[in-house]
């Protein structure tokens, strides 16, 4: 019977988390990339993994459906962090949250002239706060993906998106004009679970902290 449930997304977060889990003595019995299972057993009878969408990880942990989770700072800022303890920056899945515009768009003078910008993004909270801090008026357009397309078809003047290599921007003739913040993934813990299951959870936290230092 599993006692500890860890929520994470497949893809880059699973790939970067697997070595940390291994350092905590936890190895998944299936590979989420090839398996269709949503609940993965591990080598430890008391630990299981649940595979969810990256943006759903904080919700599973908030409601205690998972005790622990791994989520990007981008996702945590949009979620708000209610009911979550965030003890550790894992320094994985790193990238930067950026403002980007079409190559020919003069962002600096648009901002200087106080133009009202249309900004397309999946990250409404972070984007709203960024432009409010700058005192720039924006109309936010919520998208769920492929933000890079929006300025190319006249849906928006600018986008806010994550950038790692920069090749997606380049391929779409966009350029980054502002860094909003660096992004990495954090370990998150359900606050009630941490109190009730501390004996099981604390060794995992310690192993992760040690592995991150190395
Ligand atoms: O893909 P899905 O819609 O299921 O969800 P998701 O995109 O939220 O999940 P996933 O697994 O793609 O990303 C999980 C987490 O990885 C994010 O929440 C970030 O914290 C982190 N991360 C790190 C990234 C990137 N790097 C990244 N480059 N998430 C997304 N990207 C995308 C970016 O949005 C853009 O479309 O990659 C593209 C840019 O990459 P470059 O290399 O071309 O600059
Ligand atoms: Mg993605």
């Amino acid at each position: 019977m599993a006692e500890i449930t860890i929520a994470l997304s497949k893809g880059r977060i699973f790939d970067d988390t697997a070595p940390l889990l291994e350092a905590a003595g936890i190895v998944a019995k299936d590979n989420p990339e090839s398996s269709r299972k949503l609940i993965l057993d591990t080598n430890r009878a008391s630990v299981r993994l649940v595979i969810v969408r990256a943006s759903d990880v904080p919700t599973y942990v908030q409601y205690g459906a998972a005790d622990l989770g791994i989520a990007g700072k981008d996702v945590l800022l949009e979620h708000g962090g209610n009911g979550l303890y965030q003890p550790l920056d894992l320094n994985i899945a790193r990238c930067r949250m950026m403002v980007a515009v079409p190559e020919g768009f003069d962002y600096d003078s648009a901002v200087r002239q106080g133009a009202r910008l249309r900004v397309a993004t999946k990250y409404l909270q972070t984007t709203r706060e960024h432009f409010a801090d700058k005192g720039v008026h924006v109309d936010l357009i919520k998208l769920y993906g492929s933000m890079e397309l929006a300025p190319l078809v006249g849906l928006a003047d600018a986008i806010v998106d994550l950038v790692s290599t920069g090749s997606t921007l380049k391929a779409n003739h966009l350029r980054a004009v502002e860094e909003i913040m660096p992004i990495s993934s954090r370990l998150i813990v359900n606050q009630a679970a941490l109190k009730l299951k501390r004996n099981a959870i604390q060794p995992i936290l310690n192993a992760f902290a040690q592995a991150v230092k190395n």
Side-chain angles (χ1 to χ4, degrees), residues 9-10 35 37 63 73 88 95 128 136 152 158 169 188:
S9 52
K10 56 186 183 180
S35 167
K37 285 185 185 168
Y63 290 101
K73 187 177 176 189
L88 198 56
C95 57
R128 187 177 292 118
V136 171
L152 307 181
L169 291 183
I188 58 176

Side-chain angles (χ1 to χ4, degrees), residues 109-129:
S109 30
V111 166
R112 226 181 304 117
Q113 289 161 15
R116 198 173 177 92
L117 288 177
R118 285 174 309 151
V119 183
T121 188
K122 178 165 145 183
Y123 308 103
L124 290 184
Q125 308 297 339
T126 313
T127 301
R128 187 177 292 118
E129 201 168 309

Side-chain angles (χ1 to χ4, degrees), residues 70-203:
I70 289 106
K73 187 177 176 189
D74 50 316
V75 164
L76 289 167
L77 289 171
E78 293 302 307
H79 172 271
N82 229 339
L84 303 178
Y85 173 55
Q86 302 184 23
L88 198 56
D89 185 346
L90 300 174
N91 234 342
I92 59 170
R94 291 173 61 177
C95 57
R96 295 180 295 162
M97 176 93 66
M98 311 277 290
V99 181
V101 299
E103 275 161 8
F105 183 80
D106 191 346
Y107 177 74
D108 289 336
S109 30
V111 166
R112 226 181 304 117
Q113 289 161 15
R116 198 173 177 92
L117 288 177
R118 285 174 309 151
V119 183
T121 188
K122 178 165 145 183
Y123 308 103
L124 290 184
Q125 308 297 339
T126 313
T127 301
R128 187 177 292 118
E129 201 168 309
H130 172 72
F131 286 104
D133 286 350
K134 280 171 65 82
V136 171
H137 293 290
V138 288
D139 290 319
L140 297 181
I141 299 168
K142 165 79 181 182
L143 292 177
Y144 292 88
S146 301
M147 273 78 85
E148 296 87 359
L149 178 63
L152 307 181
V153 294
L155 179 61
D157 304 307
I159 62 170
V160 168
D161 195 7
L162 303 175
V163 179
S164 50
T165 62
S167 51
T168 305
L169 291 183
K170 200 165 170 210
N172 292 292
H173 306 289
L174 301 171
R175 68 189 171 96
V177 286
E178 229 160 51
E179 173 166 341
I180 298 181
M181 65 180 76
I183 299 287
S184 56
S185 288
R186 279 127 202 268
L187 183 65
I188 58 176
V189 187
N190 176 275
Q191 283 173 351
L194 183 60
K195 290 190 192 116
L196 296 169
K197 304 184 185 176
R198 192 178 270 281
N199 289 343
I201 291 176
Q202 193 64 51

